[in-house]
Amino acid sequence: MSFFLHKSNFLFRTVYPDFLWRLGEKQADEPTIYLTFDDGPIPGVTEFVLDQLDKYEAQATFFCIGDNVSKHRDMFYKVIEAGHEIGNHTFNHLNGWKTHDEVYWANIRKCQRQMSIATNLFRPPYGRIKKSQAAGLEAEFSVVMWDVLTGDFDQTLTPETVLQKSIKYTKPGSIVVFHDSLKAWTNLHYALPRYLAHFTALGYQFRAVPQPVYA
């Protein structure tokens, strides 16, 4: 069974205070959730996500793996054409803790070239990145972590558990992680439409993480 926290830990935020964990709460009558999707694009799965987001006029940020962009470029362009933001998730889904800094940075640049669009958003796969690696990115990327990890990738969790845990920990301003991957498909297929319906009924809006502006 995977071990992870559905809610990001205060200690993690303290160790990495410059990372983006959540965004400021909106006023009570316009609470906002920042949905993100990791590991795509994957035909079928990403298309399902786009269809669900469209039903609720929801915007999101897709942190793409460069290798998947290379294999499924048409699907990648569908994400862009639907008006969503794009982020870098390395070319090969590298674990920063197990990767030399120069190799890690080169893999990020390779992903950037493959996407061939400008993005200043980066999410480290598994949330694992060394401080030295992050220091080398700060001039051009905002490192986006999360407030809520849905756990849709964990095949030991039931789809209902994924849904209820995600609902429980989401607050105004939360950055929430789903995965448009084959591994997450069963849980995602069940939880995402119900999650969107639940928070839409409560008056929430769904927005993409804004791209930072660098001089």
Side-chain angles (χ1 to χ4, degrees):
M1 181 176 179
S2 303
F3 174 75
F4 64 91
L5 299 173
H6 285 278
K7 183 76 170 178
S8 62
N9 188 284
F10 173 76
L11 178 60
F12 297 160
R13 300 183 192 213
T14 302
V15 173
Y16 295 101
D18 295 329
F19 292 178
L20 190 61
W21 297 91
R22 66 193 310 273
L23 289 160
E25 294 185 14
K26 298 291 183 180
Q27 56 269 35
D29 60 341
E30 280 190 352
T32 302
I33 296 169
Y34 297 88
L35 287 180
T36 65
F37 295 87
D38 289 5
D39 297 355
I42 298 294
V45 183
T46 303
E47 287 167 324
F48 168 78
V49 171
L50 292 177
D51 287 344
Q52 295 303 311
L53 295 176
D54 183 61
K55 288 180 183 178
Y56 293 93
E57 299 182 349
Q59 295 176 311
T61 306
F62 288 76
F63 287 92
C64 298
I65 294 174
D67 191 38
N68 284 338
V69 173
S70 175
K71 294 173 181 174
H72 312 297
R73 186 161 296 279
D74 288 349
M75 191 69 255
F76 176 68
Y77 286 130
K78 285 183 180 180
V79 174
I80 298 170
E81 289 165 3
H84 302 292
E85 288 288 354
I86 297 295
N88 189 314
H89 201 43
T90 76
F91 191 87
N92 297 112
H93 205 261
L94 295 185
N95 182 334
W97 295 356
K98 299 179 179 180
T99 308
H100 292 296
D101 291 2
E102 293 293 341
V103 174
Y104 195 71
W105 294 327
N107 205 261
I108 293 169
R109 291 193 294 270
K110 186 177 181 180
C111 178
Q112 201 82 337
R113 290 193 300 271
Q114 187 60 237
M115 294 191 297
S116 68
I117 66 164
T119 180
N120 297 114
L121 301 175
F122 173 73
R123 172 169 286 157
Y126 314 103
R128 296 175 182 174
I129 184 172
K130 301 171 189 172
K131 282 199 168 186
S132 57
Q133 292 165 344
L137 299 175
E138 62 185 10
E140 54 184 318
F141 286 104
S142 175
V143 178
V144 182
M145 300 296 272
W146 55 80
D147 185 42
V148 178
L149 184 60
T150 64
D152 54 354
F153 56 86
D154 189 340
Q155 297 172 335
T156 69
L157 296 180
T158 67
E160 183 63 23
T161 296
V162 169
L163 174 63
Q164 293 305 323
K165 290 285 188 179
S166 302
I167 289 174
K168 176 181 179 181
Y169 292 113
T170 298
K171 307 296 180 187
S174 285
I175 297 174
V176 181
V177 184
F178 284 93
H179 294 77
D180 53 331
S181 67
L182 293 174
K183 185 177 181 181
W185 171 245
T186 298
N187 287 332
L188 175 75
H189 186 265
Y190 177 88
L192 179 61
R194 291 166 175 81
Y195 181 92
L196 288 165
H198 175 85
F199 283 104
T200 297
L202 294 177
Y204 279 73
Q205 298 181 8
F206 299 95
R207 295 288 176 256
V209 177
Q211 291 279 351
V213 177
Y214 294 98

